[in-house]
Amino acid sequence: MTDGPQLAKIAEKLRTPKEPKKPLPRLVGVHSVLKNKYKIIGLTEEWVKFIGQPEENFKMIVYGKSGSGKTTFVMLLCKALAMLGKVYYNSSEEGEGKSIQDAFIRCDMGSLEKSSFMLGDRHTFSEMLQIIGMKRGPRIVVIDSLQYMKLTKDQYKILIESFPKKAFIIISWSKGDVPEGVHAQGIEYMVDIKTYVKDGVAVSRSRFGATEPFQIYPPKKTMPGPQEPPFETKPKGKAKKAAGTAEISFTDTARLHDSAPEPAD
């Protein structure tokens, strides 16, 4: 026979609704991963050799010093991406103006179809979220620059978790050969492609395959040295008559100098 306290406990259990069991975290087997066909962005072979063939929702950081060629490199990449999906370029640092216009001209952005590339004129983080979340919104999002916008690691996580099917390209300043600041360096670890731009050359480290350097600007031509004099000088007087003395010209002297070993660094 059940006593009073036990009956009370049973009644309490009956009155308390059972909590639904939480689903187990998703586990994926090796063979499932191997069989899956992941969607790629579909870049041409011309670009694959520079950044690999990324997934459609790739993440990328491009960093370098001022004037290194970051904007031009990203603009050229956007030109290729705009043929595959709508690009939203949030110019939080420069905004709409002549410098962006010059970049458009350099990269022939006028050849793109209308509405395939949208420029954001210094949009805030909240304004950017509105644009990205639009119906038929952009497929690729560019932020220029991380430091000017004061984008944090947590805000970056919000972006990629809120819009998991979008691709994100973050432009960052650099300090030496690394992104500047703790947030930029933290985001660098989260992205798929890391591109360092220096003196007009972009070098990428990509999770999507080996890469080659991208020459943004034509390489600087080496300035020719001073021309050799078109005349020769000959020793006069006793020096000319000295036994075994040869007549040496400026041309010969230059040849002797060129053949001499260079001093060690």
Side-chain angles (χ1 to χ4, degrees), residues 168-184:
F168 288 90
I169 301 173
I170 313 295
I171 299 178
S172 169
W173 304 345
S174 73
K175 190 171 184 179
D177 58 355
V178 297
E180 183 177 319
V182 293
H183 294 290

Side-chain angles (χ1 to χ4, degrees), residues 118-138:
M118 302 181 297
L119 180 71
D121 185 13
R122 292 193 171 99
H123 289 170
T124 64
F125 184 76
S126 58
E127 289 172 337
M128 187 171 66
L129 289 176
Q130 286 182 300
I131 297 293
I132 301 172
M134 288 190 313
K135 190 177 180 180
R136 297 180 183 178

Side-chain angles (χ1 to χ4, degrees), residues 2 6 22 62 101 111 117 191 202 208 217:
T2 307
Q6 287 179 323
K22 293 181 180 180
V62 180
Q101 183 187 63
S111 63
F117 182 97
V191 301
F208 303 109
Y217 304 124

Side-chain angles (χ1 to χ4, degrees), residues 44-61:
T44 61
E45 287 300 319
E46 181 184 1
W47 273 98
V48 169
K49 63 184 179 181
F50 299 122
I51 66 170
Q53 184 62 274
E55 286 184 81
E56 64 175 359
N57 61 341
F58 72 93
K59 316 296 185 292
M60 182 176 186
I61 187 169

